[in-house]
């Protein structure tokens, strides 16, 4: 199964798994505040079904969204307020929006980690710089890898999430393998949907995520031409620490 196919399957469950409560998740509020501070226009890379971007557009800020998955964007278009957002279906590493320039470009919910190789990452960062207005800000988040987890070759399947989709209970089980040479996690997600009138329906989704270390991120951004890079350990802008859950990056 290719990455694009994985996203098409994921789109079916995405809004049920990450429902209305996630629009007020700390990351979404963080990016909403950045949008208010910069004043727009705003571009989100990996916008998905609009969880983080639609609340920004609702404030009257000009918004554009880019996503690799046409299925995700179709879900986005069905939502209230979607008509105010310009959407483009394209990879993060090769999107092109003509003469548009943005005061804020952001990538929420670890979308940047779906770029497996350094070549893809640098290509994405080059496109970001090409689309930033003078003085513009690029912001994104990735998880802070726990060394004890990264040292494991694999993690057995375990229940990760339970939710309701179209009135049916769904459980998501996740198993993981890790390639420490390439710093890539390979995830297999098994969605088990309980259907009252028949057997449990299962959907398998596979995709990968690249993990980053702190100074690797800083060097990557400077290599891409960003000169002002700040990392936080969480969305409250607290310092990076031993047990902080994320790397929240602001770069100019």
């Amino acid at each position: 199964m290719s990455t694009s196919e994985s996203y098409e399957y994921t789109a079916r469950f995405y809004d049920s798994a990450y429902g209305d409560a996630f629009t007020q998740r700390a990351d979404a509020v963080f990016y909403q505040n950045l949008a208010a501070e910069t004043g727009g226009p705003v571009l989100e890379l990996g916008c998905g079904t609009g969880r983080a971007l639609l609340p920004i557009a609702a404030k009257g800020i000009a918004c554009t969204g880019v996503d690799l998955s046409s299925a995700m964007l179709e879900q986005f278009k069905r939502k209230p307020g979607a008509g105010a957002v310009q959407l483009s279906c394209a990879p993060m590493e090769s999107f092109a929006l003509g003469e548009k320039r943005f005061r804020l470009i952001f990538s929420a919910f670890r979308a940047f980690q779906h770029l497996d190789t350094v070549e893809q990452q640098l290509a994405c960062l080059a496109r970001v710089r090409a689309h930033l207005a003078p003085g513009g800000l690029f912001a994104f988040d990735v998880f802070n890898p726990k060394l004890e987890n990264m040292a494991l070759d694999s993690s057995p399947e375990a229940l990760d999430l339970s939710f309701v989709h179209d009135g049916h209970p769904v459980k998501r089980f996740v198993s993981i393998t890790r390639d420490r040479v390439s710093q890539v996690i390979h995830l297999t997600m098994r969605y088990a949907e309980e259907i009252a009138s028949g057997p449990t329906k299962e959907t398998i989704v596979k995709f990968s995520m690249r993990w980053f270390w702190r100074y690797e991120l800083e060097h990557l951004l400077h290599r891409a031409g960003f000169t002002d890079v700040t990392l936080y350990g969480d969305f409250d802008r607290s310092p990076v620490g031993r047990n902080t859950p994320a790397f929240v990056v602001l770069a100019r």
Side-chain angles (χ1 to χ4, degrees):
M1 180 182 292
S2 69
T3 299
S4 59
E5 288 173 333
S6 295
Y7 292 139
E8 305 310 295
Y9 283 107
T10 302
R12 177 169 178 254
F13 295 111
Y14 192 86
D15 285 330
S16 298
Y18 306 108
D20 292 339
F22 268 68
T23 63
Q24 290 304 311
R25 191 173 178 267
D27 68 328
V29 174
F30 176 81
Y31 293 117
Q32 290 168 37
N33 290 337
L34 283 183
E37 291 169 14
T38 58
V42 171
L43 167 64
E44 182 181 7
L45 302 180
C47 64
T49 66
R51 178 184 68 90
L53 194 58
L54 280 171
I56 296 172
K59 297 180 184 295
I61 297 173
C63 289
T64 299
V66 170
D67 201 282
L68 175 65
S69 168
S70 59
M72 288 283 198
L73 294 180
E74 286 304 314
Q75 297 276 15
F76 191 123
K77 292 174 184 177
R78 298 188 184 106
K79 295 182 177 180
V85 181
Q86 296 188 10
L87 297 174
S88 176
C89 187
M92 293 171 63
E93 63 268 36
S94 59
F95 71 94
L97 300 173
E99 299 300 315
K100 290 183 180 179
R101 299 295 180 267
F102 301 89
R103 293 288 300 165
L104 171 67
I105 300 177
F106 75 94
S107 187
F109 210 24
R110 307 167 180 169
F112 191 77
Q113 291 187 256
H114 294 301
L115 301 173
D116 289 350
T117 68
V118 173
E119 290 75 19
Q120 288 175 306
Q121 296 151 20
L122 288 173
C124 174
L125 294 173
R127 300 314 301 151
V128 168
R129 282 177 51 78
H131 287 80
L132 276 175
L137 176 67
F138 177 46
F140 67 99
D141 61 273
V142 299
F143 67 72
N144 182 1
K146 293 183 179 180
L147 187 58
E148 60 270 28
N149 290 342
M150 300 307 110
L152 299 174
D153 289 332
S154 62
S155 297
E157 183 179 79
L159 178 63
D160 173 65
L161 194 63
S162 297
F163 56 93
V164 176
H165 177 74
D166 288 344
H168 302 141
V170 180
K171 293 182 178 180
R172 188 176 76 185
F173 299 86
V174 177
S175 59
I176 299 172
T177 60
R178 299 176 183 88
D179 183 339
R180 288 191 294 276
V181 174
S182 62
Q183 295 179 208
V184 172
I185 297 171
H186 299 280
L187 299 101
T188 299
M189 293 184 171
R190 179 171 62 90
Y191 292 88
E193 185 176 3
E194 298 178 15
I195 309 296
S197 59
T200 298
K201 181 179 179 181
E202 293 196 348
T203 303
I204 303 295
V205 174
K206 296 184 178 183
F207 62 93
S208 60
M209 294 182 75
R210 171 71 145 72
W211 77 80
F212 297 92
W213 305 108
R214 174 184 180 171
Y215 295 111
E216 174 189 9
L217 277 174
E218 292 187 1
H219 282 286
L220 180 70
L221 287 157
H222 284 293
R223 182 178 173 186
F226 291 91
T227 58
D228 182 358
V229 178
T230 302
L231 270 73
Y232 297 108
D234 208 342
F235 295 102
D236 60 2
R237 303 197 187 203
S238 56
V240 173
R242 179 176 179 178
N243 296 314
T244 49
F247 296 133
V248 181
V249 184
L250 303 181
R252 299 181 187 274

